[in-house]
Each structure stands twice: as C-alpha cells, then as structure tokens.
C-alpha cells in the first residue's frame, strides 16, 4: 500500500499516541493485578524488553530482496539490519538510557499510586514547562509571554486533568511528576532526537536500532539503580524483578511489544515531521486514554469513576487546557529566511559554524548564486528575531549584508 | 541529488492561483510565501541539473511569475 508522506506522518504520530494510551492501560492492569511493586515491574519491563526487542529486530532484519529488509519495507526505510552500537552513539545512548530508566521507574510508581492511566498521562505533558526552563537557563534566553502562558496552561491543565477518580490529589505523585518523571523525560527526548539526527554510514539513523540500544542501556541503568536501592534500604527488588519476569512473562512481554511499536512510530514521526507538531499530536494521548480508563474501570481493574459532575467537569477542563496549551506552544512559531552575502577572504566553514551557533537558526545553507548563505529561522516573536538573530548576525565579521524574509505562509511536502 | 532554492517575484494578485499550480509540480519540496524583496521561496529536490532546469522552466511558465532566481545548495546543516 502506498501512502503519501504527509498522511504517513499523521498516521505514525496518531498510531504512536493511541498505542501509548493502550500501553498505559496494560501497565495499569499488570500493576493492579500482578506486579504491584513499581521497582520490580520497571526492572522486569527492561529485562524482558531487551529480549523482546532483540527478537523483533531479528525478524525485521530478514531480507525481502537484494536491497531491503522486512523492517525497511514496513517500518523504517533507514533500517537495514540489527547492528552494534557505534562509537558516536555511545554518549547519547548513555544519557538517553539513564533518562528512560528514571522515567520508567517514576511513571510506574505513578501508575502504582494513582491507578488510573487517564490521571497519569496528563502529567507527562508538563515536560513543556521544563523545556522552557532549560532553554532559559542554558541559552540565557528570556521566555516569551506565549511560552509562559502555554507552560502555565499545560501545568494547571495537567494538575486538573490528573485529579484522581476519587477526587484526591496525591502530594507524593505530584513530587514524582515534577522531580522525577518530567526531568527524566526531557533528558530522554532530547537525546533520543540527537540520536535520530545522527548519520550512520552516511544514512539517517534508524528508529529500530535506536530503540533496541536504548532498552539495553535503560536495562543496565535500572539494574544499577535498583541494586543501589536494595543495598541502601535492604530490600530485594532486583530478585523480585527477576521472579516476576518469569512468573508474568506474557503480560510484561505484551506491554513491551506494544511499547516498542509506540516508540518506533514516534521516532519515525519525529524524523518525518516537525518535533513541535509531533509533540502536539502526542498531547492528544490525554483524550485517547479516557476510553481505556473507562474500560479498566468497567472491569473493576481500577476503582470506579466518580459520578460527581463537578469532578467530571474539572477533569474535562484539565484535559482541554493541556491540549490547548501544547497546541499553542507547538504551532505559534514565526519562521524567516535570511539571505546573506559575505566578504571575500573569510573561510566559508567558519562563517557557517558561527551562523549555526546562533540560537533559533534551524538550517544553514551554502548556496551558489546571488547570495552566499541562506539561513532558516524559527522564533516566537519578531522582537526575539531582532535580539537573538539580527544582533548576532551583525556581530559576525565576515558578513557583508543580509536580507530578512519573514515567512507568511508555507506548504511542505513532508 | 541536487537541492536548490528558487526565489520568485510575482505580479500582484496572482499568488494564490500560482501557488496551486506550483504545488502540483514534481520535485517541489516546499513553498513559502515571504515578505521582502521576493514574494515566494520554493525549495526543490532534483536528480540532476537538467531536471532543475525543467522545474525552473515549469515555474516560470506559471502565470503571474515575473522573475526567478535560482540558488543551488552546495552545503547544508539542518536540525
């Protein structure tokens, strides 16, 4: 079946989102019925996940013709076969693996405390708040009004949307969200994207091998964290993790297979479309998870939903706020092209690097013709365009003149 | 493969219909309406210079296009 790339992006992003909602429900079921210990469950996920992912990659490595493997045909055209990690990837995989490990332990602890996946998932959207804070600190960049508004809307929306079935707000769960899950998610997503942007043998890095090596690194870090915890507290969660991995292999394997496809589709979508749009689509998970939660509630796996209309209204308002905040943040970007002429006697590479280091520049192109360089810019306000881009361009000695073209509307074949 | 930016100057009032036609041209990756010396920036991705000529030719044949300036990409870094 052939599908246009534009539609493929939305198919992948929404498929990933719906699957993610399903995964949360499976996790909630396993946690509620079989493995209540979050530490043991987290370790079991990565232990079984490593094996499951390895088997899936072996299957996808089967060649279907002289040039393509099964995985390249149906999942990711960049995939060739399962491969060893490259030296250039180790640093990124180490950080992304640590992020995924902490994120998973925190996320399963939340599932364990709150029970309802519809209460857990809105919390993960608060990541936007952290991205803005990190940008403000690292880039010495003052957030714009729209960024602050979006972050506040999403944060309060997530808190309202996460009010539990019984109407309780759990302080421990809030601490886990703000101090563990979202910071870890930021690290995980930033380094996962860095891995996707790496070139392996002059080809784009493939999402299948990224996922495989991420699970391995996350498994190693989870083991280290749990061994340390066991040693300090005197628990035996690592042994419990091994024990539940054997006892409930089928359930954990199911959640890891489904998670695998959710992540692979997500990484693929990131490679096709814009990260901001992908993130906006992913935010709809807060809606998709509601039917799953109702189903779990119907089968008495989680406590029944409150029938108090005020609580239901609060939850609806929270969910809408999360969607509004994420969409505003993702879609309120200004774009511009700047065409540049340089003075003779300055190395092209040096000017290219200086332009690339300007915050907000998403593309630097050396061109032959009337101009020497074209840079593409993404900013939130025109004022920032002046403060952050124009001032920096003017500081580069080799630049003779430049012309700014604000993008008013754009069509892209993605 | 060759990538290029084609900068277009347009006659007033013809942009909407011209863009509809541009979107149907093969190898056109991106079309941006811009404010500045030019009116439209088109990014194309072609196999050869010969194909680039065909795309440029198709663009300048569209009613409303006054002038095209082609900038061939030599090197690129992108997010």
């Amino acid at each position: 079946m052939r599908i246009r790339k534009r539609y493929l992006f939305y198919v992948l992003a929404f498929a990933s989102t719906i699957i993610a909602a399903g995964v949360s429900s499976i996790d909630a079921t396993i946690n509620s019925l079989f493995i209540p210990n979050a530490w043991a469950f987290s370790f079991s996920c990565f232990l079984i996940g490593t094996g499951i992912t390895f088997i899936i990659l072996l299957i996808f490595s089967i060649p279907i013709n002289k040039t393509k493997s099964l995985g390249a045909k149906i999942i990711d055209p960049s995939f060739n076969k399962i491969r060893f990690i490259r030296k250039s990837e180790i640093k990124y995989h180490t950080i992304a693996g640590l992020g995924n490990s902490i994120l998973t332990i925190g996320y399963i602890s939340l599932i364990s405390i709150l029970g309802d996946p519809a209460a857990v998932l809105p919390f993960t959207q608060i990541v936007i708040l952290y991205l803005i804070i990190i940008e403000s600190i690292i880039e010495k960049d003052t957030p714009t009004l729209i960024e602050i508004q979006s972050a506040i809307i999403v944060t309060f929306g997530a808190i309202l949307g996460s009010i539990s079935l019984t109407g309780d707000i759990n302080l421990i769960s809030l601490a886990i969200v703000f101090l563990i899950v979202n910071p870890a998610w930021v690290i995980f997503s930033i380094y996962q994207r860095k891995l996707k942007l790496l070139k392996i043998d002059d080809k784009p890095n493939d999402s299948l091998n990224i996922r495989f090596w991420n699970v391995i690194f996350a498994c190693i870090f989870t083991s280290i964290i749990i061994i340390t915890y066991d040693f300090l507290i005197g628990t035996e969660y690592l042994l419990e993790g091994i024990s539940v991995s054997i006892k409930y292999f089928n359930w954990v394997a199911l959640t890891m297979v489904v998670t695998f496809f959710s992540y692979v589709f997500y990484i693929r979508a990131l490679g096709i479309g814009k990260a901001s749009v992908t993130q906006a689509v992913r935010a709809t998970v807060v809606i998709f998870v509601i039917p799953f939660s109702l189903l779990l509630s119907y089968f008495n796996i989680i406590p029944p939903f409150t029938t108090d209309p005020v609580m239901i209204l609060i939850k609806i308002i929270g969910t809408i706020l999360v969607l509004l905040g994420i969409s505003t943040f993702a879609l309120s970007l200004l774009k511009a092209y700047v065409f540049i002429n340089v003075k003779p006697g300055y190395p092209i590479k040096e000017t290219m690097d200086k332009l690339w280091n300007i915050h907000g520049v998403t593309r630097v192109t050396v061109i032959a013709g009337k101009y020497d360089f074209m840079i593409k810019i993404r900013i939130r306000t025109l004022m920032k365009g002046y403060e952050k881009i124009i001032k920096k361009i003017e500081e580069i000695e080799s630049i003779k003149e430049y012309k700014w073209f604000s993008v008013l509307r754009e069509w892209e074949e993605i | 493969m060759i990538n290029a930016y084609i900068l277009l100057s347009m006659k007033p009032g013809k942009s909407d219909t011209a863009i509809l036609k541009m979107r149907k041209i093969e190898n056109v990756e991106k079309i941006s309406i811009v404010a500045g010396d030019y009116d439209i920036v088109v990014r194309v991705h072609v196999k050869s210079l010969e194909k680039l000529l065909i795309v440029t030719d198709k663009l300048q044949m569209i009613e409303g296009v006054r002038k095209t300036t082609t900038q061939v990409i030599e090197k690129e870094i992108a997010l």
Side-chain angles (χ1 to χ4, degrees), chain A residues 192-386:
Chain A
Q192 195 163 238
R193 183 167 163 75
K194 281 182 188 282
L195 281 161
K196 183 64 191 146
L197 295 174
L198 275 183
K199 294 270 184 207
I200 303 292
D201 301 329
D202 287 329
K203 279 172 66 183
N205 205 354
D206 70 276
S207 49
L208 293 157
N209 274 300
I210 292 176
R211 174 65 188 165
F212 174 57
W213 285 102
N214 181 260
V215 172
I216 291 178
F217 273 78
C219 187
I220 295 167
F221 279 113
T222 309
S223 310
I224 295 168
I225 293 168
I226 294 179
I227 288 168
T228 313
Y229 189 85
D230 281 351
F231 179 75
L232 293 174
I233 309 293
T235 50
E236 289 186 338
Y237 291 157
L238 190 82
L239 289 175
E240 196 180 328
I242 296 168
S243 162
V244 294
S245 298
I246 299 164
K247 204 170 172 187
Y248 302 110
F249 176 84
N250 292 345
W251 277 99
V252 183
L254 172 70
T255 192
M256 289 316 287
V257 169
V258 184
T259 305
F260 173 85
F261 286 101
S262 170
Y263 272 103
V264 166
F265 289 160
Y266 174 60
I267 300 169
R268 270 274 280 143
L270 270 179
I272 297 176
K274 295 179 181 71
S276 53
V277 182
T278 316
Q279 200 184 345
V281 175
R282 280 284 285 196
T284 56
V285 72
V286 297
I287 289 180
F288 287 121
V289 76
I290 292 172
F292 286 103
S293 274
L294 286 170
L295 207 65
L296 292 182
S297 180
Y298 178 77
F299 287 109
N300 289 324
I301 293 168
I302 57 174
F305 266 71
T306 175
T307 48
D308 182 353
V310 178
M311 293 312 300
I312 293 170
L313 184 67
I314 288 174
K315 212 168 169 59
I316 291 170
I317 291 171
T319 308
I320 291 170
L321 284 180
V322 169
L323 286 176
L324 276 179
I326 295 278
S327 308
T328 312
F329 183 75
L331 306 174
S332 65
L333 274 172
L334 295 174
K335 290 183 220 167
Y337 289 106
V338 180
F339 287 94
I340 297 167
N341 284 112
V342 291
K343 296 172 193 164
Y346 291 90
I348 290 284
K349 177 80 174 67
E350 199 181 291
T351 310
M352 198 172 185
D353 289 343
K354 282 180 183 168
L355 288 168
W356 182 241
N357 287 333
I358 298 173
H359 181 67
V361 170
T362 58
R363 188 182 289 268
V364 179
T365 312
V366 184
I367 44 182
K370 192 177 172 184
Y371 301 98
D372 302 310
F373 281 97
M374 192 283 301
I375 58 173
K376 184 102 192 256
I377 285 154
R378 289 174 85 178
I379 38 159
R380 298 251 171 232
T381 63
L382 280 173
M383 193 179 74
K384 276 208 167 186
Y386 172 69

Side-chain angles (χ1 to χ4, degrees), chain A residues 197 337 339 352 356 362-371 374 376 403-413, chain B residues 5 7 19 23 28-38 41 43 69-79:
Chain A
L197 295 174
Y337 289 106
F339 287 94
M352 198 172 185
W356 182 241
T362 58
R363 188 182 289 268
V364 179
T365 312
V366 184
I367 44 182
K370 192 177 172 184
Y371 301 98
M374 192 283 301
K376 184 102 192 256
K403 281 189 175 160
W404 176 284
F405 297 84
S406 291
V407 174
L408 306 174
R409 205 171 167 196
E410 200 165 55
W411 292 265
E412 191 174 4
E413 198 62 40
Chain B
Y5 282 101
L7 317 176
I19 284 163
R23 290 174 69 183
V28 166
E29 271 191 344
K30 192 185 276 191
I31 304 166
S32 313
I33 298 182
V34 294
D37 284 1
Y38 299 96
V41 175
R43 186 178 164 114
T69 307
T70 305
Q71 305 276 146
V72 177
I73 295 174
E74 295 174 329
K75 195 174 178 175
E76 191 166 51
I77 323 173
L79 276 183

Side-chain angles (χ1 to χ4, degrees), chain A residues 35-51:
Chain A
I35 315 174
N37 184 327
W39 295 90
F41 187 13
S42 306
F43 178 67
S44 173
C45 281
F46 287 121
L47 190 66
I48 294 176
T50 304

Side-chain angles (χ1 to χ4, degrees), chain B:
Chain B
M1 297 301 281
I2 293 169
N3 292 300
Y5 282 101
I6 302 173
L7 317 176
L8 307 176
S9 294
M10 305 292 295
K11 288 177 193 161
K14 300 278 184 185
S15 294
D16 282 350
T17 47
I19 284 163
L20 282 176
K21 287 175 187 164
M22 284 173 206
R23 290 174 69 183
K24 289 177 186 157
I25 299 173
E26 210 182 332
N27 302 111
V28 166
E29 271 191 344
K30 192 185 276 191
I31 304 166
S32 313
I33 298 182
V34 294
D37 284 1
Y38 299 96
D39 302 302
I40 294 172
V41 175
V42 177
R43 186 178 164 114
V44 297
H45 181 74
V46 286
K47 279 187 180 164
S48 61
L49 282 172
E50 206 172 322
K51 289 263 182 197
L52 180 62
L53 179 72
I54 294 169
V55 177
T56 316
D57 200 39
K58 281 182 183 169
L59 283 170
Q60 62 193 7
M61 292 296 284
I62 294 171
E63 198 193 340
V65 175
R66 189 154 50 191
K67 189 186 158 198
T68 64
T69 307
T70 305
Q71 305 276 146
V72 177
I73 295 174
E74 295 174 329
K75 195 174 178 175
E76 191 166 51
I77 323 173
L79 276 183

